Amino acid sequence: MALNARLDHRDPLVFDTHELGRRPGALLRLTRTVDAPAKDAALGLPGVIGVPAGAPVELELRLESVMEGVLVTGTARATAEGECVRCLEPLELELEADFQEMFSYPETDERGRVTAPDAGDEDDEDRLSIEDGLIGLEPVLRDAVVLALPMQPVCQDDCPGLCSECGVRLADDPDHHHAAVDIRWAALQGLAESVQDGEKDDMSGADAGVDEKQEK
């Protein structure tokens, strides 16, 4: 089954190509603002960054009729939201995603009737088709947005992230630091303190002995 089967003309991401006819070279330019689809939550990388469901997406489209079908070239603009991977602060990113996709005419028999695709045909499963003169851009838009988004978004290129010891945001406290202690010296420091405590005890004991002799 084609990826865009059972299209609904009321869907804002479904476009009518009847005006093009089947005249190779015919062009149709469209501009439309739609809501980001709610399917599968954000339009982008789940849990990382994406265009929230219902957020406005501006589309500029060029539909061109060719021998095989309709070639769609377009640009999508929207604001993506996510979280910085370094400091975990929320961020916004102005997104511009370009795409181009071929929508094929359905196959027909010698009488011009649409034929059903062969079961198990992987090429047909991946093909985007025109259905009753309609094309659905949602799968194309999703792929384009994912490719345009950063896999590891940051709030700024030089974000220093979080302190590995206490978790404080380093951008808020550039001078933040912890005294570095070498664990090898820490052990010797503990031993030295133990020796010093022992010497103090011995000295206290000796002083006590002198005082006793003086009293006698």
Side-chain angles (χ1 to χ4, degrees), residues 115-129:
T115 58
D118 295 332
D121 189 337
E122 295 182 0
D123 291 338
D124 190 81
E125 290 180 357
D126 295 334
R127 186 182 64 178
L128 291 169
S129 299

Side-chain angles (χ1 to χ4, degrees), residues 102-121:
M102 170 67 74
F103 287 80
S104 303
Y105 292 124
E107 296 183 3
T108 58
D109 59 19
E110 63 277 4
R111 296 185 179 181
R113 296 176 299 187
V114 176
T115 58
D118 295 332
D121 189 337

